[in-house]
């Protein structure tokens, strides 16, 4: 029962952090938070991510990554003056003892550093770039703070180059993200995001997209095209960028009684489904693990 509760909490927390990051990015880009655009972008991020989230360490790692992304984007909104950004290196040190996805954090901060170096020429701006550089160095050092370091790199290389299961079609998340019906929907979302971002890059409008965030997005897109399992990683930056680039939408939609009632109903249904998933105390663990029936992969 604790597994059901922990999984629900981690997945719910991941979605909430996507929404918070979307609000930060939309305010940085347009000068004010865009609530409806952020809600729609978060829903798109959920479609991209939920198939890859379950009760395992990588879900906890993605939750921490989403927290780090929110802190970084919040710092950008605050003109890179937030003290909370210095929580990122210790969070990275915790993360590297959970999953190798911790190696993404210095890549993210490095992307922001490079973007700032491209954009900034004046002395105050250069000081902010130097701050990003220090943060990148600290996050890189934090990635070494695990007794599992050598084994982690060895395992990543082994899975990438030699593991027969990874290169077979047995593990769904090791396949392209666009496979299947939900994959087609995910591909549509990714294409839409690409069109919106390219539109703003090609013909700048009132929306201000940072070059660092664009580099971050491009790097995450490369990982997404490599394996489906990187879809939640892509969503962490794709959701904020989608919220910032969606066309202008009326926020009054969210205040209508019928919309509020629909949101409350969805929340209630979701809560009932989670409670209904809790197994009774009389159910053996082995039976619960194989509850999906003979057609689904079970244990052992």
């Amino acid at each position: 029962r604790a597994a059901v509760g922990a999984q629900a909490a981690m997945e719910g927390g991941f979605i909430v952090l996507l929404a918070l990051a979307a609000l930060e990015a939309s305010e940085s880009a347009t000068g004010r938070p865009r609530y409806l655009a952020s809600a729609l972008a978060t829903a798109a991020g959920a479609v991209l991510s939920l198939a890859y989230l379950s009760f395992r360490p990588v879900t906890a790692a993605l939750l921490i990554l989403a927290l780090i992304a929110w802190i970084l984007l919040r710092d950008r909104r605050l003109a890179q003056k937030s003290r909370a950004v210095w929580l990122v290196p210790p969070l990275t040190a915790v993360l590297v003892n959970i999953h190798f996805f911790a190696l993404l954090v210095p890549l993210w901060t490095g992307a922001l550093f490079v973007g700032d170096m491209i954009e900034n020429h004046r002395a105050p701006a250069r000081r902010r770039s130097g701050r990003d550089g220090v943060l990148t160095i600290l996050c890189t050092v934090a990635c070494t703070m695990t007794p599992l370091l050598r084994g982690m790199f060895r395992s990543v290389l082994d899975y990438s180059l030699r593991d027969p299961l990874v290169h077979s079609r047995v593990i769904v998340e090791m396949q392209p993200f666009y496979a299947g019906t939900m994959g087609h929907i995910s591909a549509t979302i990714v294409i839409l995001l690409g069109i919106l971002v390219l539109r703003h890059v090609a013909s700048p409008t009132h929306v201000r997209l940072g070059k660092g965030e664009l580099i971050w997005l491009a790097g995450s897109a490369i990982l997404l095209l490599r394996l489906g399992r990187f879809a939640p990683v892509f969503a962490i930056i794709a959701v904020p960028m989608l919220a910032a680039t969606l066309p202008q939408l009326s926020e009054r939609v969210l205040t209508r009684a019928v919309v509020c009632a629909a949101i409350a109903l969805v929340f209630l249904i979701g809560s009932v489904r989670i409670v209904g998933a809790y197994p009774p105390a009389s159910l053996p663990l082995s039976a619960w693990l194989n509850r999906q029936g003979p057609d689904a992969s079970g244990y052992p």
Side-chain angles (χ1 to χ4, degrees), residues 67-112:
L67 174 60
I68 289 172
W70 171 55
I71 292 173
L72 291 173
L73 292 171
R74 177 179 177 272
D75 182 58
R76 312 295 280 184
R77 177 180 64 81
L78 296 173
Q80 296 167 264
K81 296 178 180 179
S82 168
R83 294 181 181 178
V85 78
W86 300 111
L87 292 173
V88 172
L91 284 171
T92 305
V94 173
L95 179 57
V96 78
N97 288 280
I98 298 175
H99 200 273
F100 77 90
F101 277 0
L103 300 175
L104 295 170
V105 180
L107 296 179
W108 291 355
T109 56
L112 296 176

Side-chain angles (χ1 to χ4, degrees), residues 39-254:
L40 294 174
T42 303
V47 171
L48 284 170
S49 305
L50 283 178
Y52 303 95
L53 303 179
S54 59
F55 182 65
R56 51 185 181 154
V58 69
T59 304
L62 289 167
L63 179 64
I64 297 175
L65 281 174
L67 174 60
I68 289 172
W70 171 55
I71 292 173
L72 291 173
L73 292 171
R74 177 179 177 272
D75 182 58
R76 312 295 280 184
R77 177 180 64 81
L78 296 173
Q80 296 167 264
K81 296 178 180 179
S82 168
R83 294 181 181 178
V85 78
W86 300 111
L87 292 173
V88 172
L91 284 171
T92 305
V94 173
L95 179 57
V96 78
N97 288 280
I98 298 175
H99 200 273
F100 77 90
F101 277 0
L103 300 175
L104 295 170
V105 180
L107 296 179
W108 291 355
T109 56
L112 296 176
F113 170 64
V114 171
D116 284 349
M117 289 294 290
I118 294 172
E119 290 180 347
N120 298 334
H121 304 289
R122 293 175 297 180
R126 286 199 298 270
R127 283 197 294 272
R128 289 198 294 271
S129 299
R131 185 173 179 267
D132 290 340
V134 172
L135 188 62
T136 301
I137 293 171
L138 291 176
C139 289
T140 303
V141 173
C143 284
T144 67
M145 293 186 175
T146 172
L148 311 174
L149 187 63
R150 290 178 61 188
M152 179 179 70
F153 281 112
R154 193 162 53 241
S155 296
V156 169
L157 291 175
D158 186 65
Y159 283 130
S160 301
L161 302 176
R162 292 181 290 271
D163 190 89
L165 276 177
V166 170
H167 295 284
S168 70
R169 293 194 172 273
V170 174
I171 304 176
V172 175
E173 66 182 40
M174 297 300 179
Q175 305 309 311
F177 79 98
Y178 46 79
T181 303
M182 290 303 298
H184 296 159
I185 297 174
S186 298
T188 302
I189 293 171
V190 173
I191 292 170
L192 173 63
L193 172 63
I195 292 172
L196 290 172
V197 170
L198 289 174
R199 170 172 159 262
H200 285 281
V201 171
S203 55
T205 62
H206 65 283
V207 176
R208 301 181 299 276
L209 298 178
K211 288 184 171 57
E213 288 87 336
L214 292 174
I215 296 171
W216 180 354
L217 178 65
S220 298
I222 292 171
L223 291 176
L224 175 67
L225 294 174
R226 176 72 177 84
L227 289 175
R229 73 176 306 184
F230 289 110
V233 172
F234 175 76
I236 288 174
I237 183 60
V239 167
M241 291 294 98
L242 186 58
T245 56
L246 277 172
Q248 186 65 38
L249 302 169
S250 174
E251 308 288 3
R252 287 182 293 178
V253 173
L254 293 175

Side-chain angles (χ1 to χ4, degrees), residues 32-37 39 249-264:
R32 63 181 184 83
R34 305 178 67 196
Y35 292 99
L36 182 56
L249 302 169
S250 174
E251 308 288 3
R252 287 182 293 178
V253 173
L254 293 175
T255 66
R256 293 178 180 173
V258 65
V259 174
C260 294
I263 292 172

